[in-house]
Amino acid sequence: VFSIRHGSPKGNAPDKGAQRMQVATRFIRENYAQPIRLHDAAQLVYLEDSYFCRQFKKHTGVTPKQWRLQNIE
């Protein structure tokens, strides 16, 4: 079975980008009481800052800052 979105023959295999964003959102949620820099979250998932922002928005629909405001504060 091919995944339409990614063209992957792996079927139900987890999307690596989605996994990275799950790690990032968990990090943001667990550290909400501390100042969190974008760079820290990007480094955690081994991405450059600008690419992390694009991938985060692609997978969540909002920027990291918007996600934090909507889901934490």
Side-chain angles (χ1 to χ4, degrees):
V1 175
F2 282 38
S3 169
I4 295 171
R5 184 172 183 172
H6 302 288
S8 169
K10 297 177 183 177
N12 292 334
D15 175 353
K16 189 168 191 156
Q19 288 178 331
R20 285 180 171 173
M21 295 311 110
Q22 286 175 349
V23 169
T25 55
R26 187 177 321 117
F27 171 77
I28 294 167
R29 194 175 277 124
E30 291 173 354
N31 294 284
Y32 71 92
Q34 303 172 39
I36 300 171
R37 297 182 313 148
L38 174 75
H39 181 73
D40 297 333
Q43 253 190 337
L44 180 68
V45 294
Y46 308 103
L47 296 175
E48 294 291 329
D49 295 2
S50 60
Y51 187 66
F52 171 76
C53 278
R54 289 192 306 272
Q55 289 299 301
F56 194 96
K57 187 167 185 174
K58 175 184 171 185
H59 288 277
T60 66
V62 293
T63 66
K65 183 176 182 177
Q66 291 168 327
W67 187 91
R68 183 176 178 179
L69 290 172
Q70 292 173 0
N71 292 280
I72 306 293
E73 298 172 354

